[in-house]
Amino acid sequence: MSSTSESGSAAATPSAMQAILVPTLTKQCWGFMIGSALFALGSAPWLGIWMGAANANICYFIGAWFFTAAGLIQVINSGPVSVAVDYAPGRMVRAEWLAAASQSLGTVLFNVSTTSAVTAHTLAAQKHLVWSPDAGGSVAFLLSAAFVLVAYSHGNPIWNPGDVDWWAGQVNLLGCIAFGVSAVGAYITPNGATVDDVLANTGTFVGAVCFFVASLIVLPAWRARGPRQRVR
């Protein structure tokens, strides 16, 4: 009996590991939601001041890894890179893949930025290893948001507020714009100060909340509450 039990347990282990490694939309959404929550925690006007810059940077550092994991899942699930078309040159890169790839690139750049923020101690390092990849990540997110809207428009009306996917795209775009504004406010001047700390933190907070909401409303468990969760 003992041998049979051990055999059954061993047989169940691979399937459990496979379930963990399978890239699903649920895992993607939770990755972005957890990462967004940590970014919001680090930049919240009340908590950010209380916890201090060092702890806020740790929140960003951990959150960025959840972003990167979710971005990788998004690329894997985005499908083939290109599709055949009936005009020259015969194939076209899919907007959905471009959206996932550019967002994934942005998450990696945020990884560089947030990791450097924890370790950088010189002005030069802050400019080149913290602000520069942060700005690059924000641009990549903006490109991703544009590609999301292009991909959505291929099979849906441009104005379609009755569809949750449409709202997800709009809220995601707002979050990307907010992150871009945050990068502008976080620019480091020659004397070592940022252009506008309030703008930087507010942009990060608003962007994080938007990303959380955009992921939440397409979370399969949330959408299962109704057919396609049409918004009235």
Side-chain angles (χ1 to χ4, degrees):
M1 292 293 291
S2 174
S3 174
T4 303
S5 175
E6 290 175 1
S7 174
S9 177
T13 302
S15 61
M17 286 301 298
Q18 289 172 1
I20 293 174
L21 295 175
V22 171
T24 65
L25 178 59
T26 295
K27 292 175 184 176
Q28 173 189 317
C29 289
W30 274 110
F32 280 124
M33 287 165 61
I34 294 172
S36 298
L38 287 167
F39 267 69
L41 178 65
S43 59
W46 323 276
L47 294 175
I49 297 175
W50 175 77
M51 70 172 59
N55 290 323
N57 285 338
I58 291 175
C59 286
Y60 299 147
F61 170 76
I62 299 173
W65 281 105
F66 280 98
F67 273 166
T68 299
L72 177 61
I73 293 174
Q74 185 177 6
V75 172
I76 294 172
N77 290 337
S78 64
V81 175
S82 62
V83 64
V85 293
D86 56 3
Y87 51 84
R91 295 197 70 82
M92 178 180 69
V93 179
R94 297 172 58 248
E96 184 175 357
W97 183 87
L98 286 171
S102 54
Q103 184 155 36
S104 184
L105 172 61
T107 64
V108 172
L109 290 172
F110 285 136
N111 262 137
V112 175
S113 174
T114 56
T115 300
S116 300
V118 175
T119 60
H121 300 295
T122 66
L123 179 60
Q126 289 175 3
K127 281 188 174 181
H128 296 293
L129 298 177
V130 179
W131 185 82
S132 294
D134 177 58
S138 297
V139 171
F141 266 40
L142 281 169
L143 289 174
S144 173
F147 287 130
V148 165
L149 298 183
V150 171
Y152 181 83
S153 68
H154 285 165
N156 301 278
I158 296 177
W159 176 258
N160 194 21
D163 187 4
V164 162
D165 288 333
W166 183 86
W167 278 107
Q170 306 305 314
V171 175
N172 177 68
L173 174 61
L174 180 60
C176 293
I177 293 173
F179 261 36
V181 171
S182 172
V184 173
Y187 180 75
I188 302 171
T189 61
N191 63 2
T194 54
V195 169
D196 192 327
D197 284 332
V198 174
L199 185 65
N201 287 329
T202 302
T204 299
F205 181 74
V206 171
V209 172
C210 288
F211 294 143
F212 184 94
V213 172
S215 295
L216 175 63
I217 61 179
V218 296
L219 182 69
W222 180 271
R223 299 185 67 159
R225 296 169 60 184
R228 284 191 60 79
Q229 283 287 296
R230 295 285 178 172
V231 177
R232 300 298 183 212

